[in-house]
Each structure stands twice: as C-alpha cells, then as structure tokens.
Amino acid sequence: MTETDGAPRSLALGGRGCSNCPVTPPPPTGPADGGAPVGRRLVLGMLGLGAAGLATAPYLQKGLESFLGAAADKDPTGLTGLLPNGGGFRYYSVASSVPRKGPDTYRLTVDGLVDRPATYTLDDLRAMRQTRLVRDVQCVTGWRVPRTPFEGVRLSALLAAAGVRPGAKAVRFTCFDGTYSESLTLRQAGRADVLVALRMRDEPLGHAHGGPARLYVAPMYFYKSAKWLSGITVTSEVRPGYWEKRGYDVDAWVGRSNGRDDAPTV
Amino acid sequence: MPPRSEPPARLRRFTRAERWVHRATAGLTLLCVATAACLYVPQLAELVGRRHLVVTVHEWSGLLIPAPLLLGLASRAVRADLGRLNRFGPHDRRWLKAALRRDTRHASRPAGKFNAGQKLYAGWLAGAVLVMLGTGLLMWFTGLAPLVWRTSATFVHDWLALAMGVVIAGHVAMALARPESRRGMRTGTVDRAWAEVEHPLWAREFHHRRDLENE
C-alpha cells in the first residue's frame, strides 16, 4: 500500500486527486447540499439593487450631498471628505511627482507669437492688478464645489503686456509638473473670467491646488484650469492639451460639452 | 473485507484549479482596490499621481476579476463548490441564527463545506462585482449611455465600492484570524479535527465515502 502524508492511497479516487491529497471529497450529494438557491437570489438581488440604485441615484445623490455637505462643515476629523461626494476638491495629478515652487523659484514665461516675451516672478504677478471671482467649480467627473473665490491676474492683461502678433489664434499653457498642458483660443483667453490665479478661498494657492500659480478658466470644466502653470505660449492654432488628447473636449464650456448638462459656471 | 484503515489526518478541501481561481481573483481584486484607493483617497492620489496609468490599471484589473472564475468553470470541482455555495439548507439557517445571537458554540453552528456566512459572502460579493462591472463600463465607455446614467453609475460605483471595501476587509481579517482556513486555501488540505469542528457536515461526508468503499 502506498502512503502519502500517512494516508492510505486507496482512499483517493482513482487518480483524480493530486499526489498529496489523502482523500478526495465525494460528489456533492450529501445531506449538506440540498436547500434553496440563496446564492443565486443574492446575486440577482444585488443586480436588482444596482439597477434600482442607478434609477434613484439622482434623488439619493441630492439628499446625500446636502446631508454630507452639512456634516463636512461640522466635521473636525475630515473623514467625511473620504465619503463619496462628501464635498470639496479632489486631487488629480497626471505626473508622478510635482516639484514645489515658491517665490524664489517660481517663474512664468510668456512667449510665442508675441512682440515682447517676458518672464514673471511671483512678486511681479502679485504687483499687477488683481481680480477676484467667486463661482462654482465644476469637474468633468461630476463633483462641484460651490462659490469658490479665486484671485489673480487676468490672462488678457499678460497677453496685452506681451503684445500679441497678427496671425495668432490660440494660447497654449504648460506646467512645471512636466506633463500637463492645456490650450484656449485667443478669444477664450481674452475673457475677463480667465485668470492666472494666485489665491484661492482668499488664501495663497497651496501646492495641492496647483500653487503657487494656476490657470483659472471660470466658465469651463476644471481640467482647463491647469495647475502649476509655468508657460504661456501664443500659437497660430489650438493644440489639444493632455486630457484633450485622451478624448475630452477642447471647448470645455460647463454644461455645453463633454456630453454633460451641468449648470453653467459663468 | 480489508481491515478498516485509520482515518486520514488531512482532508482534501480545494483542488489546484480552485486554489488558482482564488489566487488569481484575489490578486486582481487587490490591484483593483489598491488603484481605486490611489484614485480616490486624496493623500494617496497626491503620493502616487500618474492618473492616466492608475486609471488604466484599475479599469483592466476590474474588468478581469470575473475571468479566473469563468475559466475555472471548466473544472468539475469549481462547479461543484459553486453549487454548494448556492444552496442554503436548514442547517445554514441555524448557523445564521446562532451567528446573529453571537452564539459561538460549535454545536449550534452546523455547517457543510461552506458555512452560511461564507455562502452569503460569496453570493453578495458575486452580485456586487457584477454591479461594479456594469457601472464601471458605463463610466469607462462614456458613449454607451446618456449622461444621467453615467452620473448615476458613478454614484452607485462609489458607494458600493465603499461597502465592498468593508466586506472584503472583513474577509481578509477573518482569514488572518484562521490559520487552518488559510492553510486549506494554500495547500488544498485541512486538518480532519478542524473540519469536524468547523464544517462537521462536510467532514461527515468523508465517512459516508469510506463506508461506501468498505462495502
């Protein structure tokens, strides 16, 4: 008699088990195997619940958002921020790591089809006329942060100072994360609600929010508001930015693009 | 009639195919949950960045989670265990009642190869994975459905993810607390004495089997 692990080989079903299996269980016909198909009902029940969730989500979401928004205001732990739609900003970066820049290291260049290319320090930008806007922020993935103040220099002022040449049609933005890019038509860039923002919520713009300076395009989805802005280049045509090469709309008006119908943020 | 042999010390619980199905599913799930956390938890998102890459890994690992089980359906043992997980007998009701009363005595918790808790976990999770797959595809292929569906899908996906995170953490915690269960999934066999306590109705099936062979 061959023994494996001290067990008689004869107990294994003819060659079906592996060499170290003493006993192969019998086919499931024992007393433990009758009964109602609860597993199948659970699966179907979950599918039903999922479908019901899809159908009722717009109502549930409104209720939960107002409840969690109120709770988040009184929550010192910040745990409500981790709940879905708990309100507030989410951090998105496409780069692996982003260097930190402060007043000594930050530079913003303006070049391309301009008469007077320029490089601005943070102090230069702070010395210019500041504009404060208070609008909702709408992300293309769905979250919205109400009434968020942004403050900074109008992009149109920087372009005017540089002197845009004839033939220029668009503006391209690059970032010191080394990866992100964005673009606007010259007409969009000239709007009064497009800023190089230095402050958010009446505080200096922090690193996580794209500080020390970011683009702020109030009427468009928030991916247009490139964080960590380091370059403004006037070009002869619109060059699609990072997400736009990956399928997002170039003209990203809130409520009129990307297949979404959010309330406009103008 | 040959002399009645000593009962074997270890019982065969999972075949190689079953263990590989579990291993592959667990690996894909881990990848999917880890990338989800990196997309969702701000601190992790800040640490990891690389959003496009993380999204791609999340999408594909999630999409592939059902694949090991589907491939495993080729194995008779996998199909048989799915049948056992599906069926709920009177002893499962007793097990659940005892669990709800926090009655931990083994005598009041009769179980076959899988106890009622394992059966509920399996069924609920299978359904939840399918819902995550459906809502995930709606978010992935934005052209599939109108916008309101997509927003709703995000809502369901986010909240169900939270629930699944809690449930899967419970699954892992229970496994960590039960070395013999882990050994069963790792090596395929379990201690007979353990089985007689934890899964008495299943352990008894081996007696039936031997009785048959001895006849």
Side-chain angles (χ1 to χ4, degrees), chain A residues 103-154:
Chain A
D104 299 332
T105 48
Y106 179 78
R107 295 289 181 275
L108 175 64
T109 58
V110 181
D111 56 17
L113 299 173
V114 293
D115 294 326
R116 297 172 293 278
T119 300
Y120 294 86
T121 65
L122 211 47
D123 287 335
D124 295 338
L125 292 171
R126 283 175 182 152
M128 295 176 73
R129 189 172 156 226
Q130 306 289 301
T131 302
R132 185 172 179 271
L133 296 172
V134 184
R135 305 276 172 76
D136 289 0
V137 168
Q138 176 71 53
C139 177
V140 73
T141 62
W143 53 264
R144 188 177 183 107
V145 183
R147 298 178 309 284
T148 307
F150 280 91
E151 193 175 339
V153 181
R154 279 206 180 116

Short mmCIF file of all heavy atoms in Angstrom, two decimals, chain A residues 103-154:
data_model
loop_
_atom_site.label_atom_id
_atom_site.label_comp_id
_atom_site.label_asym_id
_atom_site.label_seq_id
_atom_site.Cartn_x
_atom_site.Cartn_y
_atom_site.Cartn_z
N PRO A 103 8.27 81.63 -3.95
CA PRO A 103 8.58 82.96 -4.50
C PRO A 103 9.96 83.02 -5.15
O PRO A 103 10.16 83.75 -6.13
CB PRO A 103 8.53 83.87 -3.27
CG PRO A 103 7.68 83.13 -2.29
CD PRO A 103 7.88 81.67 -2.55
N ASP A 104 10.94 82.27 -4.62
CA ASP A 104 12.30 82.34 -5.17
C ASP A 104 12.47 81.53 -6.45
O ASP A 104 13.31 81.86 -7.29
CB ASP A 104 13.31 81.82 -4.13
CG ASP A 104 13.27 82.65 -2.87
OD1 ASP A 104 12.92 83.85 -2.98
OD2 ASP A 104 13.57 82.10 -1.79
N THR A 105 11.70 80.44 -6.57
CA THR A 105 11.95 79.52 -7.68
C THR A 105 10.89 79.59 -8.77
O THR A 105 11.12 79.12 -9.88
CB THR A 105 12.01 78.08 -7.16
OG1 THR A 105 10.89 77.87 -6.29
CG2 THR A 105 13.30 77.85 -6.39
N TYR A 106 9.73 80.15 -8.47
CA TYR A 106 8.65 80.14 -9.45
C TYR A 106 8.90 81.16 -10.57
O TYR A 106 9.27 82.30 -10.31
CB TYR A 106 7.30 80.42 -8.79
CG TYR A 106 6.18 80.45 -9.80
CD1 TYR A 106 5.65 79.26 -10.28
CD2 TYR A 106 5.70 81.65 -10.30
CE1 TYR A 106 4.65 79.27 -11.24
CE2 TYR A 106 4.69 81.67 -11.25
CZ TYR A 106 4.19 80.46 -11.72
OH TYR A 106 3.20 80.47 -12.68
N ARG A 107 8.71 80.73 -11.82
CA ARG A 107 8.78 81.64 -12.96
C ARG A 107 7.65 81.32 -13.92
O ARG A 107 7.35 80.14 -14.15
CB ARG A 107 10.11 81.48 -13.72
CG ARG A 107 11.36 81.86 -12.92
CD ARG A 107 11.47 83.37 -12.70
NE ARG A 107 12.67 83.72 -11.96
CZ ARG A 107 12.77 83.71 -10.63
NH1 ARG A 107 11.73 83.34 -9.90
NH2 ARG A 107 13.90 84.04 -10.03
N LEU A 108 7.05 82.37 -14.48
CA LEU A 108 6.03 82.20 -15.51
C LEU A 108 6.52 82.90 -16.78
O LEU A 108 6.78 84.09 -16.75
CB LEU A 108 4.69 82.80 -15.06
CG LEU A 108 3.57 82.79 -16.10
CD1 LEU A 108 3.17 81.37 -16.46
CD2 LEU A 108 2.36 83.57 -15.61
N THR A 109 6.66 82.13 -17.85
CA THR A 109 7.14 82.74 -19.09
C THR A 109 5.96 82.96 -20.05
O THR A 109 5.03 82.16 -20.10
CB THR A 109 8.17 81.84 -19.80
OG1 THR A 109 7.55 80.57 -20.07
CG2 THR A 109 9.39 81.62 -18.93
N VAL A 110 6.05 84.04 -20.80
CA VAL A 110 5.07 84.33 -21.85
C VAL A 110 5.86 84.46 -23.14
O VAL A 110 6.77 85.31 -23.23
CB VAL A 110 4.30 85.63 -21.56
CG1 VAL A 110 3.27 85.89 -22.65
CG2 VAL A 110 3.62 85.56 -20.20
N ASP A 111 5.57 83.61 -24.12
CA ASP A 111 6.35 83.67 -25.37
C ASP A 111 5.48 83.22 -26.55
O ASP A 111 4.27 83.19 -26.45
CB ASP A 111 7.63 82.83 -25.24
CG ASP A 111 7.34 81.39 -24.87
OD1 ASP A 111 6.18 80.95 -25.02
OD2 ASP A 111 8.28 80.70 -24.43
N GLY A 112 6.12 82.88 -27.65
CA GLY A 112 5.38 82.50 -28.86
C GLY A 112 5.21 83.70 -29.76
O GLY A 112 6.13 84.52 -29.91
N LEU A 113 4.02 83.81 -30.34
CA LEU A 113 3.76 84.87 -31.31
C LEU A 113 3.45 86.19 -30.59
O LEU A 113 2.35 86.72 -30.67
CB LEU A 113 2.58 84.49 -32.21
CG LEU A 113 2.77 83.21 -33.04
CD1 LEU A 113 1.49 82.83 -33.76
CD2 LEU A 113 3.91 83.41 -34.04
N VAL A 114 4.46 86.69 -29.87
CA VAL A 114 4.28 87.96 -29.16
C VAL A 114 5.45 88.90 -29.48
O VAL A 114 6.54 88.45 -29.86
CB VAL A 114 4.21 87.76 -27.63
CG1 VAL A 114 2.94 87.01 -27.26
CG2 VAL A 114 5.43 87.03 -27.12
N ASP A 115 5.24 90.20 -29.31
CA ASP A 115 6.29 91.18 -29.58
C ASP A 115 7.29 91.25 -28.43
O ASP A 115 8.47 91.51 -28.64
CB ASP A 115 5.67 92.57 -29.80
CG ASP A 115 4.83 92.60 -31.07
OD1 ASP A 115 5.22 91.90 -32.03
OD2 ASP A 115 3.79 93.28 -31.08
N ARG A 116 6.80 91.05 -27.18
CA ARG A 116 7.68 91.22 -26.02
C ARG A 116 7.59 90.01 -25.10
O ARG A 116 6.85 90.03 -24.12
CB ARG A 116 7.26 92.49 -25.24
CG ARG A 116 7.41 93.79 -26.04
CD ARG A 116 6.81 94.97 -25.31
NE ARG A 116 5.36 94.89 -25.19
CZ ARG A 116 4.50 95.25 -26.16
NH1 ARG A 116 4.95 95.73 -27.31
NH2 ARG A 116 3.20 95.15 -25.98
N PRO A 117 8.31 88.94 -25.41
CA PRO A 117 8.31 87.78 -24.50
C PRO A 117 8.75 88.23 -23.11
O PRO A 117 9.57 89.16 -22.99
CB PRO A 117 9.34 86.83 -25.12
CG PRO A 117 9.48 87.26 -26.53
CD PRO A 117 9.23 88.74 -26.54
N ALA A 118 8.21 87.59 -22.09
CA ALA A 118 8.51 88.06 -20.74
C ALA A 118 8.57 86.88 -19.78
O ALA A 118 8.03 85.81 -20.05
CB ALA A 118 7.45 89.04 -20.27
N THR A 119 9.26 87.08 -18.66
CA THR A 119 9.28 86.11 -17.57
C THR A 119 8.86 86.82 -16.29
O THR A 119 9.41 87.88 -15.97
CB THR A 119 10.69 85.51 -17.40
OG1 THR A 119 11.07 84.87 -18.62
CG2 THR A 119 10.71 84.49 -16.27
N TYR A 120 7.89 86.27 -15.60
CA TYR A 120 7.36 86.89 -14.39
C TYR A 120 7.76 86.08 -13.17
O TYR A 120 7.70 84.85 -13.21
CB TYR A 120 5.83 86.96 -14.43
CG TYR A 120 5.28 87.87 -15.50
CD1 TYR A 120 5.08 87.40 -16.80
CD2 TYR A 120 4.96 89.19 -15.21
CE1 TYR A 120 4.57 88.23 -17.78
CE2 TYR A 120 4.44 90.03 -16.19
CZ TYR A 120 4.25 89.55 -17.47
OH TYR A 120 3.74 90.35 -18.45
N THR A 121 8.13 86.76 -12.11
CA THR A 121 8.26 86.09 -10.82
C THR A 121 6.92 86.19 -10.10
O THR A 121 6.01 86.90 -10.56
CB THR A 121 9.34 86.76 -9.95
OG1 THR A 121 8.90 88.08 -9.64
CG2 THR A 121 10.68 86.83 -10.66
N LEU A 122 6.82 85.51 -8.98
CA LEU A 122 5.59 85.56 -8.21
C LEU A 122 5.32 86.99 -7.74
O LEU A 122 4.18 87.47 -7.77
CB LEU A 122 5.72 84.61 -7.00
CG LEU A 122 4.45 83.94 -6.50
CD1 LEU A 122 3.63 83.36 -7.63
CD2 LEU A 122 4.80 82.87 -5.48
N ASP A 123 6.38 87.70 -7.34
CA ASP A 123 6.21 89.08 -6.88
C ASP A 123 5.73 89.97 -8.02
O ASP A 123 4.89 90.86 -7.81
CB ASP A 123 7.52 89.62 -6.29
CG ASP A 123 7.81 88.99 -4.93
OD1 ASP A 123 6.83 88.57 -4.26
OD2 ASP A 123 8.99 88.91 -4.54
N ASP A 124 6.27 89.74 -9.25
CA ASP A 124 5.80 90.51 -10.40
C ASP A 124 4.30 90.34 -10.57
O ASP A 124 3.57 91.32 -10.79
CB ASP A 124 6.48 90.02 -11.70
CG ASP A 124 7.99 90.27 -11.68
OD1 ASP A 124 8.42 91.15 -10.92
OD2 ASP A 124 8.71 89.58 -12.44
N LEU A 125 3.85 89.10 -10.49
CA LEU A 125 2.42 88.82 -10.70
C LEU A 125 1.59 89.45 -9.59
O LEU A 125 0.52 90.00 -9.83
CB LEU A 125 2.17 87.31 -10.74
CG LEU A 125 2.76 86.58 -11.96
CD1 LEU A 125 2.63 85.07 -11.80
CD2 LEU A 125 2.04 87.01 -13.24
N ARG A 126 2.11 89.38 -8.35
CA ARG A 126 1.37 89.94 -7.22
C ARG A 126 1.26 91.46 -7.33
O ARG A 126 0.31 92.06 -6.82
CB ARG A 126 2.06 89.58 -5.91
CG ARG A 126 1.80 88.13 -5.49
CD ARG A 126 2.60 87.79 -4.25
NE ARG A 126 2.42 86.40 -3.86
CZ ARG A 126 3.33 85.69 -3.21
NH1 ARG A 126 4.50 86.23 -2.89
NH2 ARG A 126 3.09 84.43 -2.89
N ALA A 127 2.25 92.08 -8.00
CA ALA A 127 2.24 93.54 -8.11
C ALA A 127 1.25 94.03 -9.15
O ALA A 127 0.94 95.22 -9.21
CB ALA A 127 3.65 94.03 -8.45
N MET A 128 0.76 93.10 -9.98
CA MET A 128 -0.18 93.53 -11.03
C MET A 128 -1.60 93.64 -10.45
O MET A 128 -1.87 93.21 -9.34
CB MET A 128 -0.15 92.54 -12.20
CG MET A 128 1.20 92.51 -12.91
SD MET A 128 1.29 91.27 -14.21
CE MET A 128 0.28 92.01 -15.47
N ARG A 129 -2.50 94.20 -11.26
CA ARG A 129 -3.87 94.38 -10.79
C ARG A 129 -4.53 93.00 -10.59
O ARG A 129 -4.48 92.14 -11.47
CB ARG A 129 -4.65 95.19 -11.83
CG ARG A 129 -5.99 95.58 -11.33
CD ARG A 129 -6.70 96.55 -12.27
NE ARG A 129 -8.12 96.43 -12.04
CZ ARG A 129 -9.03 96.34 -13.00
NH1 ARG A 129 -8.66 96.40 -14.26
NH2 ARG A 129 -10.30 96.23 -12.69
N GLN A 130 -5.13 92.80 -9.43
CA GLN A 130 -5.72 91.52 -9.09
C GLN A 130 -7.24 91.55 -9.31
O GLN A 130 -7.89 92.56 -9.04
CB GLN A 130 -5.44 91.17 -7.62
CG GLN A 130 -3.95 91.19 -7.25
CD GLN A 130 -3.17 90.05 -7.86
OE1 GLN A 130 -3.48 88.89 -7.63
NE2 GLN A 130 -2.16 90.37 -8.67
N THR A 131 -7.76 90.44 -9.80
CA THR A 131 -9.21 90.31 -10.00
C THR A 131 -9.70 89.14 -9.16
O THR A 131 -9.07 88.08 -9.13
CB THR A 131 -9.51 90.03 -11.49
OG1 THR A 131 -8.96 91.10 -12.25
CG2 THR A 131 -11.00 89.91 -11.72
N ARG A 132 -10.81 89.33 -8.45
CA ARG A 132 -11.36 88.27 -7.62
C ARG A 132 -12.68 87.81 -8.21
O ARG A 132 -13.55 88.65 -8.51
CB ARG A 132 -11.55 88.77 -6.19
CG ARG A 132 -12.02 87.70 -5.20
CD ARG A 132 -11.98 88.27 -3.78
NE ARG A 132 -12.43 87.32 -2.77
CZ ARG A 132 -13.69 87.17 -2.38
NH1 ARG A 132 -14.63 87.90 -2.95
NH2 ARG A 132 -13.99 86.29 -1.44
N LEU A 133 -12.83 86.49 -8.41
CA LEU A 133 -14.06 85.92 -8.94
C LEU A 133 -14.57 84.88 -7.96
O LEU A 133 -13.79 84.14 -7.38
CB LEU A 133 -13.81 85.24 -10.29
CG LEU A 133 -13.34 86.11 -11.46
CD1 LEU A 133 -12.96 85.22 -12.63
CD2 LEU A 133 -14.45 87.07 -11.85
N VAL A 134 -15.90 84.83 -7.78
CA VAL A 134 -16.48 83.79 -6.93
C VAL A 134 -17.52 83.03 -7.75
O VAL A 134 -18.60 83.56 -8.05
CB VAL A 134 -17.14 84.40 -5.67
CG1 VAL A 134 -17.64 83.27 -4.77
CG2 VAL A 134 -16.15 85.28 -4.92
N ARG A 135 -17.15 81.82 -8.14
CA ARG A 135 -18.05 80.98 -8.96
C ARG A 135 -18.02 79.57 -8.40
O ARG A 135 -17.19 79.24 -7.56
CB ARG A 135 -17.55 80.93 -10.41
CG ARG A 135 -17.36 82.27 -11.05
CD ARG A 135 -18.67 82.80 -11.62
NE ARG A 135 -18.51 84.19 -12.06
CZ ARG A 135 -17.91 84.56 -13.18
NH1 ARG A 135 -17.41 83.64 -13.98
NH2 ARG A 135 -17.82 85.83 -13.52
N ASP A 136 -18.90 78.71 -8.94
CA ASP A 136 -18.81 77.29 -8.63
C ASP A 136 -17.67 76.68 -9.43
O ASP A 136 -17.36 77.15 -10.53
CB ASP A 136 -20.10 76.56 -9.02
CG ASP A 136 -21.26 76.93 -8.09
OD1 ASP A 136 -21.04 77.74 -7.18
OD2 ASP A 136 -22.36 76.39 -8.29
N VAL A 137 -17.04 75.66 -8.87
CA VAL A 137 -16.06 74.86 -9.62
C VAL A 137 -16.73 73.56 -10.03
O VAL A 137 -17.30 72.87 -9.18
CB VAL A 137 -14.81 74.58 -8.76
CG1 VAL A 137 -13.95 73.53 -9.43
CG2 VAL A 137 -14.00 75.85 -8.55
N GLN A 138 -16.68 73.23 -11.31
CA GLN A 138 -17.32 72.00 -11.79
C GLN A 138 -16.27 71.12 -12.46
O GLN A 138 -15.65 71.51 -13.44
CB GLN A 138 -18.43 72.34 -12.79
CG GLN A 138 -19.09 71.13 -13.42
CD GLN A 138 -19.96 70.36 -12.45
OE1 GLN A 138 -20.84 70.93 -11.80
NE2 GLN A 138 -19.72 69.07 -12.33
N CYS A 139 -16.11 69.91 -11.91
CA CYS A 139 -15.19 68.95 -12.53
C CYS A 139 -15.96 68.11 -13.53
O CYS A 139 -17.14 67.82 -13.34
CB CYS A 139 -14.55 68.04 -11.49
SG CYS A 139 -13.49 66.79 -12.25
N VAL A 140 -15.30 67.69 -14.57
CA VAL A 140 -15.94 66.90 -15.61
C VAL A 140 -16.32 65.52 -15.09
O VAL A 140 -17.17 64.83 -15.65
CB VAL A 140 -15.03 66.82 -16.86
CG1 VAL A 140 -13.86 65.89 -16.60
CG2 VAL A 140 -15.81 66.39 -18.09
N THR A 141 -15.70 65.07 -13.97
CA THR A 141 -16.07 63.77 -13.39
C THR A 141 -17.28 63.89 -12.48
O THR A 141 -17.70 62.90 -11.90
CB THR A 141 -14.92 63.16 -12.58
OG1 THR A 141 -14.62 64.04 -11.49
CG2 THR A 141 -13.68 62.96 -13.42
N GLY A 142 -17.82 65.09 -12.32
CA GLY A 142 -19.10 65.21 -11.62
C GLY A 142 -19.09 66.06 -10.36
O GLY A 142 -20.12 66.62 -10.01
N TRP A 143 -17.97 66.13 -9.67
CA TRP A 143 -18.04 66.89 -8.41
C TRP A 143 -18.08 68.38 -8.66
O TRP A 143 -17.55 68.87 -9.66
CB TRP A 143 -16.93 66.50 -7.43
CG TRP A 143 -15.51 66.53 -7.90
CD1 TRP A 143 -14.79 65.48 -8.37
CD2 TRP A 143 -14.62 67.66 -7.92
NE1 TRP A 143 -13.52 65.88 -8.68
CE2 TRP A 143 -13.38 67.20 -8.43
CE3 TRP A 143 -14.73 69.01 -7.57
CZ2 TRP A 143 -12.28 68.05 -8.59
CZ3 TRP A 143 -13.64 69.84 -7.74
CH2 TRP A 143 -12.44 69.36 -8.24
N ARG A 144 -18.70 69.09 -7.76
CA ARG A 144 -18.89 70.53 -7.90
C ARG A 144 -18.66 71.16 -6.53
O ARG A 144 -19.13 70.65 -5.53
CB ARG A 144 -20.31 70.82 -8.37
CG ARG A 144 -20.59 72.27 -8.73
CD ARG A 144 -22.02 72.40 -9.25
NE ARG A 144 -22.33 73.75 -9.67
CZ ARG A 144 -22.46 74.13 -10.95
NH1 ARG A 144 -22.29 73.25 -11.90
NH2 ARG A 144 -22.77 75.37 -11.26
N VAL A 145 -17.88 72.21 -6.49
CA VAL A 145 -17.65 72.91 -5.23
C VAL A 145 -18.25 74.30 -5.38
O VAL A 145 -17.86 75.06 -6.25
CB VAL A 145 -16.14 73.01 -4.91
CG1 VAL A 145 -15.95 73.69 -3.57
CG2 VAL A 145 -15.51 71.63 -4.90
N PRO A 146 -19.25 74.60 -4.55
CA PRO A 146 -19.96 75.87 -4.74
C PRO A 146 -19.14 77.09 -4.29
O PRO A 146 -18.31 76.99 -3.37
CB PRO A 146 -21.21 75.70 -3.86
CG PRO A 146 -20.83 74.68 -2.84
CD PRO A 146 -19.79 73.80 -3.45
N ARG A 147 -19.39 78.20 -4.97
CA ARG A 147 -18.91 79.53 -4.56
C ARG A 147 -17.49 79.53 -4.02
O ARG A 147 -17.26 79.72 -2.84
CB ARG A 147 -19.87 80.12 -3.51
CG ARG A 147 -21.29 80.32 -4.05
CD ARG A 147 -22.21 80.86 -2.98
NE ARG A 147 -22.18 80.09 -1.75
CZ ARG A 147 -22.78 78.90 -1.59
NH1 ARG A 147 -23.47 78.38 -2.59
NH2 ARG A 147 -22.69 78.25 -0.46
N THR A 148 -16.54 79.28 -4.93
CA THR A 148 -15.14 79.24 -4.52
C THR A 148 -14.42 80.48 -5.03
O THR A 148 -14.33 80.69 -6.24
CB THR A 148 -14.46 77.99 -5.10
OG1 THR A 148 -15.23 76.85 -4.75
CG2 THR A 148 -13.06 77.83 -4.55
N PRO A 149 -13.89 81.33 -4.15
CA PRO A 149 -13.20 82.53 -4.61
C PRO A 149 -11.82 82.20 -5.21
O PRO A 149 -11.05 81.44 -4.61
CB PRO A 149 -13.03 83.37 -3.34
CG PRO A 149 -13.85 82.69 -2.29
CD PRO A 149 -13.98 81.27 -2.69
N PHE A 150 -11.55 82.75 -6.38
CA PHE A 150 -10.21 82.71 -6.97
C PHE A 150 -9.78 84.15 -7.21
O PHE A 150 -10.61 85.02 -7.52
CB PHE A 150 -10.21 81.95 -8.30
CG PHE A 150 -10.19 80.46 -8.15
CD1 PHE A 150 -11.37 79.74 -8.08
CD2 PHE A 150 -8.99 79.78 -8.07
CE1 PHE A 150 -11.36 78.37 -7.93
CE2 PHE A 150 -8.96 78.40 -7.92
CZ PHE A 150 -10.15 77.70 -7.85
N GLU A 151 -8.49 84.41 -7.06
CA GLU A 151 -8.00 85.77 -7.24
C GLU A 151 -6.65 85.72 -7.94
O GLU A 151 -5.80 84.88 -7.62
CB GLU A 151 -7.85 86.43 -5.86
CG GLU A 151 -7.66 87.92 -5.93
CD GLU A 151 -7.64 88.54 -4.54
OE1 GLU A 151 -8.15 87.91 -3.59
OE2 GLU A 151 -7.09 89.64 -4.41
N GLY A 152 -6.46 86.63 -8.91
CA GLY A 152 -5.19 86.66 -9.61
C GLY A 152 -5.20 87.67 -10.73
O GLY A 152 -6.05 88.57 -10.77
N VAL A 153 -4.25 87.49 -11.66
CA VAL A 153 -4.08 88.43 -12.76
C VAL A 153 -4.88 87.96 -13.95
O VAL A 153 -4.88 86.77 -14.28
CB VAL A 153 -2.59 88.50 -13.14
CG1 VAL A 153 -2.37 89.51 -14.26
CG2 VAL A 153 -1.75 88.85 -11.93
N ARG A 154 -5.60 88.88 -14.59
CA ARG A 154 -6.32 88.50 -15.81
C ARG A 154 -5.31 88.05 -16.87
O ARG A 154 -4.31 88.73 -17.11
CB ARG A 154 -7.12 89.68 -16.34
CG ARG A 154 -8.42 89.86 -15.63
CD ARG A 154 -9.44 90.56 -16.53
NE ARG A 154 -10.68 90.69 -15.78
CZ ARG A 154 -11.23 91.86 -15.43
NH1 ARG A 154 -10.66 92.98 -15.80
NH2 ARG A 154 -12.34 91.89 -14.74
#
